Amino acid sequence: MSSETVSVFHTVQEVRAWREAQRSIGNTIAFVPTMGALHAGHLQLVNLAATKCDLVIVSIFVNPAQFAPHEDLATYPRTLPQDIAKLSALPHTIAVFAPSVQEMYPRGITTDRSLQRGTFVEVLGLSEMLEGGTRPHFFRGVATVVAKLFHIVGPDVAVFGQKDIQQCCVLRAMVTDLHFPLKLVVAPTVRDPEDGLALSSRNVYLTAEQRQCAPAFYRGLRSACDLFAAGVVDRNQLIDAVKQEAIKGGLDIEYISLSSPDDLSEIEQVGSAGAVLSGAWRMGSTRLIDNVLIGFEF
């Protein structure tokens, strides 16, 4: 497929006109929201989306509302021409929505939450857990922009990656609470086949030495999974397995969590409902996250 066959839209009006034209001929639409800097993980989401509906639309938008003033909004990789080229190489009919900040936030947006004005979406309870402890602005920004995108695109199916497991939980609750007429699909985390590091747009920030150390967290997650398979359900033992590998790798651990799949509250042992084992760590100025699902599937 050549790049000319990938339709690229920049305005809400263009996307809605495309959507209505596709609806009129009976096509179903799958949606993959991204912030660009596409890697193999994103492309796998697109490939999965293509199995769910007739057409796929991918959004590429670096969302200011989910960044705090001290975070990496200004330096977040923006690679739209390369992203479109990668999508055009896929054997699917794909559209791209690449709006400006003004298009998505017509009344303006600042990363300083105290100065923000306008309409925002909050999923209370889930948003305050885990990542929300250190990034209280984050899920408000995510829920707001995804709600806007759902409203604009009107998809039948939306596909997200498990790497951002809390995001998936927050958005699943939002879809239920706000009665969005779509199915939310969560795809397994895509990992480097050599060392298991979860693919992330922020991996490009890692130095060669940091890149060698970064997979230590996933090795810890796998060790915990092995313990669970052997019958261990105790919180401390599972978390310690992750911590030991992470420390060996020289990672600066921010948190390690064993939480309920239902409300992401911390639990003391894995019960019949299973658990989410997750965490965040830093390597220099780069912050990474990862998780595994224990005893259940999303």
Side-chain angles (χ1 to χ4, degrees), residues 252-275:
D252 181 9
I253 302 170
E254 192 169 289
Y255 72 85
I256 303 174
S257 165
L258 185 73
S259 59
S260 162
D262 296 325
D263 59 11
L264 299 180
S265 60
E266 296 298 315
I267 57 177
E268 293 304 314
Q269 65 177 27
V270 183
S272 59

Side-chain angles (χ1 to χ4, degrees), residues 139-154:
F139 290 108
R140 180 176 185 256
V142 169
T144 297
V145 79
V146 173
K148 286 172 178 275
L149 290 167
F150 284 171
H151 184 53
I152 294 164
V153 174

Side-chain angles (χ1 to χ4, degrees), residues 92-231:
H92 316 299
T93 302
I94 298 171
V96 173
F97 180 39
S100 66
V101 173
Q102 179 63 31
E103 189 71 13
M104 291 301 293
Y105 294 95
R107 296 176 61 189
I109 186 68
T110 171
T111 58
D112 186 340
R113 180 171 172 169
S114 68
L115 299 177
Q116 290 175 353
R117 300 292 182 270
T119 304
F120 295 86
V121 177
E122 290 188 281
V123 181
L124 299 179
L126 290 170
S127 294
E128 294 83 8
M129 312 302 287
L130 304 178
E131 290 289 290
T134 55
R135 307 180 74 197
H137 58 284
F138 181 71
F139 290 108
R140 180 176 185 256
V142 169
T144 297
V145 79
V146 173
K148 286 172 178 275
L149 290 167
F150 284 171
H151 184 53
I152 294 164
V153 174
D156 299 283
V157 172
V159 180
F160 295 85
Q162 183 195 311
K163 183 179 77 68
D164 301 300
I165 187 65
Q166 185 174 3
Q167 172 177 279
C168 295
C169 293
V170 167
L171 295 178
R172 180 175 62 179
M174 183 187 78
V175 166
T176 299
D177 292 346
L178 298 185
H179 302 283
F180 279 104
L182 60 87
K183 179 180 180 181
L184 192 149
V185 174
V186 176
T189 301
V190 181
R191 300 183 179 278
D192 185 295
E194 298 297 324
D195 57 24
L197 181 67
L199 300 190
S200 168
S201 298
R202 287 190 169 93
N203 289 353
V204 299
Y205 298 156
L206 299 174
T207 66
E209 182 179 356
Q210 290 171 341
R211 177 61 185 80
Q212 292 297 311
C213 297
F217 197 88
Y218 182 60
R219 289 198 297 272
L221 292 174
R222 291 306 314 160
S223 294
C225 288
D226 291 342
L227 286 177
F228 176 73

